[in-house]
């Protein structure tokens, strides 16, 4: 120790002997959401039927590095979780004809050097760590050491496509998880609204973002995506996740938020509230048009309809409304044509997507199985038209500049229609004002 550095503990036999003794065995039961293992077994059976005789290798992944030697929280890859129900980092699953073997890093327990020297797997660092036997019992599949895995993790595009298309149809367990996610999200909206006066008084958008994120972390796994809180001129910015502005008392407040529950299924809900509790005439004008578009879209969602039908229904309402306000440079028909789309200046994004383990679920599905497909029972997706009038857009009438409004609901397609999972949140401007008062 002539250079002043402390000794390396691994090099001190007396220490390694002492720290390896005198420990009781903690509860090492894995955290597995009830029903997840059984649902995963059914998912593997569906995969086996879709790809008979093929071996599929999927990985849980690793937590991304945030900075230097610190990482973000770990979340398993969605395909891996859908097929296993396992949340272990660095895990790999090998699946063939519905049968699976999961390979996991072996934790380091008392008596092993890694117990105190391995910050990734040592139980002294990470807490009680389930072993292979515990994981096998919880998942209902053989679990082996990761060092036994001698294959390659390379889920090809075809397998990724098949998995995405299988995941489009949710089973009863998944629907239950999504209902919980939406219910928790609605509660989170209420928690955020209660904090508007505090946010207006000083800490602004980030106070509301933090309020929802804290609620999502306390009652779920966390937010399912970066929470959007846009006040006033920030509301028209589609992905306003910086949330570094004030909450303006006389402006609209666009809240796009979703709780991801412990099973990693997420909600995705948007409502636009007047921070003051009452819409101004101009704000109501914009919100009312978005509401009409939203209701027109909902009316087009049913089994057997095309996925794009609700998109076209909402866009027609938006285009006709903008034309009534004198904001289209061409006729409604020309704007709605494939060579026009002028109305999309104020609604550049899509207005719906599948929802599940990912907020934009099933994204690797083939276009003909997604946008070009017929709607089927068991699908869960969003409908989310909006209008986004940027404060610096000179084509917008001055009284409408800086107004952004979106309505987003989460829908379950049933045998004879839809179940709006987020129906507890009102759609109309007057309904939102009433909800704020309550």
């Amino acid at each position: 120790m002539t250079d002043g550095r402390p000794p390396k503990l691994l090099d001190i036999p007396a220490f390694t002997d002492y720290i390896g003794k005198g420990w009781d065995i903690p509860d090492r039961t894995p955290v597995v959401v009830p029903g997840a293992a059984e649902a995963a077994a059914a998912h593997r059976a569906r995969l086996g039927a879709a790809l008979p005789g093929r071996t599929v290798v999927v990985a849980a992944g690793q937590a991304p590095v945030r900075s230097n030697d610190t990482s973000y929280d770990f979340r398993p890859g969605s395909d891996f979780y859908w097929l296993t129900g396992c949340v272990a980092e660095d895990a790999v699953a090998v699946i063939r004809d519905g049968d699976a073997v999961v390979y996991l890093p072996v934790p380091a327990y008392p008596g092993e050097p890694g117990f105190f020297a391995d910050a990734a797997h040592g139980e002294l660092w990470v807490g009680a760590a389930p072993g292979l036997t515990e994981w096998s019992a919880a998942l209902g599949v053989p679990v082996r050491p990761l060092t036994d895995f001698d294959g390659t993790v390379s889920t090809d595009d075809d397998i990724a496509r098949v998995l995405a298309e299988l995941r489009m149809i949710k089973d009863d367990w998944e629907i239950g998880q999504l209902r919980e996610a939406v219910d928790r999200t609605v509660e989170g909206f209420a928690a955020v609204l209660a904090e508007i006066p505090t946010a207006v008084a000083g800490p602004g958008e980030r106070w509301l973002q933090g309020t929802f994120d804290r609620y999502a972390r306390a009652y779920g796994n966390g937010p399912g995506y970066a929470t959007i809180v846009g006040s006033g001129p920030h509301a028209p910015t589609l992905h306003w996740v910086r949330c570094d502005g004030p909450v303006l008392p006389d402006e609209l407040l666009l809240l796009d938020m979703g709780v991801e529950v412990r099973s990693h299924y997420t909600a995705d809900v948007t409502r636009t509230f007047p921070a003051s509790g009452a819409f101004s005439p101009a704000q109501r004008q914009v919100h009312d048009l978005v509401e009409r578009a939203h209701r027109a879209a909902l009316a087009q969602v049913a089994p057997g309809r095309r996925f794009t039908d609700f998109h076209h229904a909402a866009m027609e309402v938006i285009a006709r409304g903008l034309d009534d306000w004198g904001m289209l440079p061409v006729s409604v028909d020309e704007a709605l044509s494939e060579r026009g789309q002028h109305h999309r200046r104020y609604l550049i994004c899509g207005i719906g997507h599948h929802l599940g383990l990912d907020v934009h679920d099933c994204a690797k599905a083939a276009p003909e199985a997604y946008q070009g497909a017929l709607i089927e029972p068991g699908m869960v997706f969003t409908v989310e038209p909006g209008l986004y009038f940027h404060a610096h857009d000179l084509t917008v009438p001055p009284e409408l500049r800086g107004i952004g409004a979106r309505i987003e609901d989460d829908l379950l397609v049933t045998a004879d229609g839809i179940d709006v999972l987020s129906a507890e949140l009102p759609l109309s401007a007057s309904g939102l004002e009433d909800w704020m008062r309550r």
Side-chain angles (χ1 to χ4, degrees), residues 98 142 361 408:
D361 210 30
E408 181 179 22

Side-chain angles (χ1 to χ4, degrees), residues 385-409:
L387 280 170
Y388 310 99
F389 298 139
H390 290 276
H392 55 286
D393 188 342
L394 301 181
T395 69
V396 176
E399 68 274 13
L400 301 183
R401 291 177 194 167
I403 294 178
R406 177 164 66 250
I407 301 172
E408 181 179 22
D409 276 315

Side-chain angles (χ1 to χ4, degrees), residues 297 300 307-316 341 344 349-351:
Q300 293 299 314
F307 187 82
T308 51
D309 285 354
F310 69 82
H311 168 91
H312 294 305
M315 288 299 178
E316 181 171 354
Q341 300 294 299
R344 296 292 298 278
C349 58
I351 61 163

Side-chain angles (χ1 to χ4, degrees), residues 7 18 33 67 77 87 89 100 114 151 169 191 199 230 235 263 286 293 297 312 337 407 428:
Y18 180 60
V33 174
S67 173
V87 296
E89 190 170 5
I169 306 299
S263 61
V286 175
H312 294 305
S337 71
I407 301 172
S428 69

Side-chain angles (χ1 to χ4, degrees), residues 292-302 305 309-310 313 383 411 418:
R292 292 198 298 274
H294 188 78
R295 291 186 185 278
L298 294 181
Q300 293 299 314
V301 180
R305 297 275 178 84
D309 285 354
F310 69 82
V383 170
L411 317 178
I418 57 172

Side-chain angles (χ1 to χ4, degrees), residues 15-272:
F15 175 82
T16 58
D17 178 68
Y18 180 60
I19 199 171
K21 299 175 180 177
W23 299 95
D24 200 355
I25 298 175
D27 181 3
R28 293 173 176 153
T29 305
V31 177
V32 177
V33 174
E38 294 79 4
H43 299 161
R44 292 194 298 272
R46 290 173 59 194
L47 176 63
L51 297 174
R54 291 186 64 177
T55 299
V56 175
V57 181
V58 290
Q62 293 179 323
V65 174
R66 182 183 186 278
S67 173
N68 190 27
D69 59 350
T70 62
S71 298
Y72 290 101
D73 288 344
F74 171 70
R75 181 198 187 276
S78 295
D79 285 337
F80 176 86
Y81 184 82
W82 192 75
L83 291 166
T84 67
C86 178
V87 296
E89 190 170 5
D90 287 322
V92 175
V94 179
I95 302 164
R96 183 181 179 91
D97 293 330
D99 295 325
V101 177
V102 173
Y103 295 87
L104 299 177
V106 177
Y109 294 145
E112 303 171 80
F115 173 65
F116 66 89
D118 185 343
H121 304 107
E123 199 168 52
L124 196 62
W125 288 86
V126 301
L132 307 184
T133 300
E134 290 87 356
W135 273 115
S136 181
L139 300 177
V141 298
V143 176
R144 298 174 184 165
L146 184 60
T147 52
D148 288 357
F149 174 68
D150 58 2
T152 302
V153 178
S154 57
T155 303
D156 62 33
D157 291 342
D158 183 52
I159 291 175
R161 175 191 61 79
V162 169
L163 284 167
E165 292 170 11
L166 288 173
R167 284 171 48 195
M168 281 184 175
I169 306 299
K170 272 61 179 180
D171 57 36
D172 289 345
W173 181 81
E174 293 179 286
I175 292 169
Q177 299 305 305
L178 285 163
R179 287 188 187 279
E180 180 186 350
V182 172
D183 289 347
R184 289 300 191 184
T185 297
V186 172
E187 295 167 5
F189 268 83
V192 168
L193 293 187
E195 294 295 321
I196 288 178
T198 300
V200 168
E205 293 168 340
R206 285 198 176 173
W207 184 263
L208 301 184
Q209 184 187 46
T211 296
F212 184 82
D213 290 0
R214 181 180 68 249
Y215 190 91
R217 182 110 174 121
Y219 295 101
N221 193 52
Y225 52 93
T227 299
I228 296 171
V229 177
S231 171
H234 293 160
T237 301
L238 292 172
H239 288 169
W240 183 255
V241 298
R242 283 160 47 187
C243 301
D244 59 1
V247 172
L248 303 171
D250 297 321
E251 302 292 341
L252 291 182
L253 182 64
L254 189 151
L255 303 174
D256 186 335
M257 310 185 298
V259 171
E260 179 182 283
V261 291
R262 306 290 184 190
S263 61
H264 306 289
Y265 286 81
T266 187
D268 180 11
V269 180
T270 307
R271 289 294 189 272
T272 308

